[in-house]
Amino acid sequence: MTGPVGEGWLDGDAARPVRPYAVIRGRTSPSVHLDLMSMVVATGAGPGGYLEPDHEQALGLCRQPATVAEVAAWLRLPVAAAKVLLSDLAECGALRAAPPLTADQAVRRPLLERVLDGLQRL
Amino acid sequence: MASNASNQMPTGVKLLVAGGFGVGKTTFVSAVSEIRPLTTEEQITAASAGVDSLDGVEAKSTTTVAFDFGRITLSAELVLYLFGMPGQTRFWFMWDELSAGATGAVILADTRRLDACFAAVDFFESRRIRFIVAANEFDGAFRYEPDEIRAALKLGLHVPVTTCDARDHGSAKGVLIALIRHLLATDGGQDPGVPASGYLPPARPSLTRDGVLS
């Protein structure tokens, strides 16, 4: 299974032409709160008009659900910058975000059993 | 543009891989991840104490902390993510963000430098994140018994200590399975002797050549 990088969308060796924080015009506070492990996916809806290239690229990476951390890695942006882009997209309805597991949810027995079963079947 | 019409998003489960610098965290993540490990970075800005720029604004220094992570898709509804913790101790503040909401952790140990694990053990105990220790068996390193490692790290009897070859998919997967089994076995019970919240690593004695492991 490969992600967008594996599909040849991004050249892993290409240098980024634009400084990461220029992408988001110096904003560092995302409006929708996102965590490294928030799961994001494109809704297929949204403004329908012109999207800035970086927002377009970020949205393109979310056709299948992915974590904020993955999107940041694929975009080769610092996490904070990726969060701003994704938060913008969530605000305009182009992206849906699900929060990560809380510390309590992360260790619940039914989940652990599913994880164990999944690992044993690998 | 294709969209995800389903209301279901997969659940992401976060597992942490810690251990001293060079112990084999990235190797371990690579061995078990379905993708080549990704690298994400956080830029940390800190005001430089006592340094002013010409216009009187306090000069800032930025540092980039990078961490690797891998992924294992267990099903359409369940995806594991393995985050490698930055090894250098000056990046401790990153550990809190990385470890928030984690299910559990693997501490990889190099038996030639067991003291490199102490900080990780202290951190996870203080955050009440359960973990197992896996000694990465470097070729030529003396094989220690798990109980010897447990004693050297001052771990309770309830903390599993195992060995692995971080390069091997089956071995690394076995470590993750051991971790999940440990979590199920200790489910609902608090580990005895967990220190109060608030992280300040207690000093642990350094291992010397005349120490526990000689």
Side-chain angles (χ1 to χ4, degrees), chain B residues 158-171:
Chain B
H158 57 281
V159 178
V161 177
T162 185
T163 56
C164 74
D165 178 349
R167 304 162 301 182
D168 182 75
H169 172 81
S171 182

Side-chain angles (χ1 to χ4, degrees), chain B residues 152-207:
Chain B
L153 293 178
K154 300 191 185 304
L155 298 174
L157 289 174
H158 57 281
V159 178
V161 177
T162 185
T163 56
C164 74
D165 178 349
R167 304 162 301 182
D168 182 75
H169 172 81
S171 182
K173 191 178 75 167
V175 171
L176 297 184
I177 288 172
L179 170 62
I180 304 301
R181 285 203 170 120
H182 172 58
L183 299 176
L184 283 164
T186 53
D187 171 44
Q190 268 303 328
D191 295 341
V194 175
S197 64
Y199 171 66
L200 196 65
R204 286 182 184 259
S206 313
L207 283 180

Side-chain angles (χ1 to χ4, degrees), chain A residues 29-120:
Chain A
S29 302
S31 35
V32 170
H33 179 73
L34 293 170
D35 179 87
L36 265 182
M37 284 288 291
S38 295
M39 200 69 72
V40 293
V41 71
T43 61
Y50 174 76
L51 276 183
E52 300 267 309
D54 285 287
H55 288 82
E56 188 73 56
Q57 185 183 24
L59 194 61
L61 295 170
C62 301
R63 292 179 189 180
Q64 295 301 316
T67 54
V68 167
E70 287 170 286
V71 176
W74 292 327
L75 290 173
R76 299 171 75 235
L77 285 178
V79 173
K83 283 180 179 177
V84 174
L85 283 180
L86 294 172
S87 155
D88 286 350
L89 290 167
E91 275 223 315
C92 73
L95 187 85
R96 185 157 55 90
L101 296 175
T102 63
D104 284 341
Q105 290 170 331
V107 295
R108 288 209 185 128
R109 189 165 199 92
L111 176 68
L112 296 176
E113 287 171 350
R114 286 168 58 206
V115 172
L116 180 60
D117 182 62
L119 281 171
Q120 288 173 325

Side-chain angles (χ1 to χ4, degrees), chain A residues 1-2 21 36-37 39-44 59 63 65 67 69-70 72-74 77-80 83 96-98 101-103 106-107 109 111-116 118-122, chain B residues 1-4 6-7 9-14 34-35 38-43 67 69 71-74 77-78 80-81 83 97-98 101-103 130 173 176-177 180-181 183-184 187:
Chain A
M1 181 171 302
T2 60
Y21 286 99
L36 265 182
M37 284 288 291
M39 200 69 72
V40 293
V41 71
T43 61
L59 194 61
R63 292 179 189 180
T67 54
E70 287 170 286
W74 292 327
L77 285 178
V79 173
K83 283 180 179 177
R96 185 157 55 90
L101 296 175
T102 63
V107 295
R109 189 165 199 92
L111 176 68
L112 296 176
E113 287 171 350
R114 286 168 58 206
V115 172
L116 180 60
L119 281 171
Q120 288 173 325
R121 282 189 286 106
L122 274 183
Chain B
M1 173 171 67
S3 65
N4 185 341
S6 161
N7 272 333
M9 286 238 251
T11 298
V13 170
K14 180 163 61 176
E34 70 202 13
I35 56 172
L38 298 172
T39 301
T40 303
E41 61 184 32
E42 300 249 23
Q43 283 188 334
F67 51 95
F69 65 98
R71 188 182 73 203
I72 306 172
T73 301
L74 298 181
E77 296 84 24
L78 192 57
L80 291 190
Y81 290 88
F83 278 78
E97 175 164 6
L98 290 178
T103 289
R130 284 170 289 161
K173 191 178 75 167
L176 297 184
I177 288 172
I180 304 301
R181 285 203 170 120
L183 299 176
L184 283 164
D187 171 44

Side-chain angles (χ1 to χ4, degrees), chain B residues 120-142:
Chain B
V121 171
D122 289 344
F123 178 85
F124 292 132
E125 285 180 347
S126 74
R127 291 295 177 272
R128 300 181 184 240
I129 292 172
R130 284 170 289 161
F131 60 91
I132 68 170
V133 173
N136 189 14
E137 303 199 301
F138 289 83
D139 293 335
F142 185 81

